[in-house]
Amino acid sequence: MAELNVTPWEVSGELNDESYNRLVKKFGVDLISDALLERINMIAKGKLHPFLKKKIFFAHRELNLILDDYEKGNPFYLYTGRGPSGKMHIGHLLPFTFTLWLQRTFNAHLLIQLTDDEKFLVKDTSKKEIAGFTNENVIDILSLGFDPKKTHVISDYQQAKTLYYYATDVAKHVTVSTIKAVFGMTDSDNIGKLFFPAMQIVPAFLLPAITGKKMRCLIPYAIDQDPYFRVARDVLPKLGYYKPSSIISKFLPALQGNSAKMSSSKAESAIFLDDSRETVRKKLMKYAYSGGRDTAEEQRKHGANPDIDFSFLEYSFLEEDQKKVDEIYRKYKSGDILSGEMKAIAADKISDFLEGIRERRERIKENLNDYMFDERKLNF
Ligand code: TRP
């Protein structure tokens, strides 16, 4: 088995329950217990996001403090982000449906950071290309339906003045040896990469810094981003802010089920937001990792394993009617539904979702400014 290596810039090795448990121990995060899940469920009035039900979001840091504040009527805010290194596929976009659910459930302000500077520093991509991806990615994300009054998009280059001002507060408290140890960087990494973590930490205290109001921050992220927020939890109390809380996800299953992240480097290894109905269907039929049996006969007899089946999982993430999901699960597992049918059901659901995105994109494009970070919007 390849050794597990999870850093913000590289994810390799086998990702299974055991390796996630090892990461949880190594990073010092807590699993989301049944009791905590039930507490969230009560607040959400029984409407848990599928990622919580399926334990895709499976770990946290001090989520209870966020819920305490919420129940006392003290506002907290959300912060998440995206590294704009290419076109987005559904594996990139789905985590934002979870953030949207959080925004709606808790009626919270949200900062979305686009780390264009990071992608310039770590990849071999031109600034011009990155600017194009930043612009397109923001439109994709916002088309999920975020609330313009409570959503604040930050591009590191565009908001450099504000971010840099606060990043120096962070940088002053972080040594080179900490960054090397936490991120696995070496002397041959460029100095921009060494400084960059300060930029990603800023949004975790930006709202209290600007408004002067003490409030907590909850950060949803995939576990490879944990190093930033470990450092943030060390530094923020020194600056007079709360430690940020986290809600942490596993990586989403990949189309081809190679247990690695869905990759955007190969067109056929992911479903892109601009894939047509026909393309989505073809990709699923040809590549989707299946939990089915080798022959139709065997499957009718023994059923499939929906829990590892890309098509079933995507369907379950996108179908809001839980009864329908349970029904398909049962039928697929018992052999009533064959893999080809499962793929067709999922292809339809995915294409409906993508069509919604593509329709809403146009309206977002016209109103993009409403969503951009602007200190004057923070009058609360
Ligand atoms: N560095 C992240 C990436 O490459 C983007 C990011 C910035 C982010 N801030 C974040 C992700 C906060 C999650 C939470 O994708």
Side-chain angles (χ1 to χ4, degrees), residues 8-9 79-84 96 112-115 118-119 156 196 200 203 219-222 224-225 228-229:
W9 300 288
Y79 157 43
T80 194
R82 151 103 188 135
F96 286 93
I112 303 175
Q113 179 181 38
L114 279 106
T115 53
E118 173 193 19
K119 294 301 151 185
D156 286 357
F196 170 75
Q200 184 155 331
I219 316 175
Y221 57 85
D224 63 315
Q225 298 293 306
Y228 294 105
F229 305 117

Side-chain angles (χ1 to χ4, degrees), residues 78-89:
L78 297 161
Y79 157 43
T80 194
R82 151 103 188 135
S85 55
K87 281 205 313 191
M88 286 179 94
H89 58 61

Side-chain angles (χ1 to χ4, degrees), residues 110-150:
L110 161 67
L111 296 186
I112 303 175
Q113 179 181 38
L114 279 106
T115 53
D116 37 18
D117 56 341
E118 173 193 19
K119 294 301 151 185
F120 176 68
L121 290 165
V122 308
K123 298 232 165 189
D124 204 6
T125 313
S126 74
K127 282 185 179 167
K128 205 169 160 202
E129 268 179 291
I130 292 172
F133 292 138
T134 303
N135 197 38
E136 291 299 307
N137 290 182
V138 167
I139 298 167
D140 290 335
I141 293 167
L142 293 174
S143 69
L144 289 174
F146 290 97
D147 176 356
K149 289 199 195 67
K150 296 202 157 187

Side-chain angles (χ1 to χ4, degrees), residues 334-353:
S334 71
D336 283 354
I337 291 180
L338 297 181
S339 296
E341 295 168 63
M342 186 65 244
K343 289 182 176 196
I345 294 169
D348 273 346
K349 195 82 214 164
I350 291 170
S351 293
D352 290 348
F353 171 70

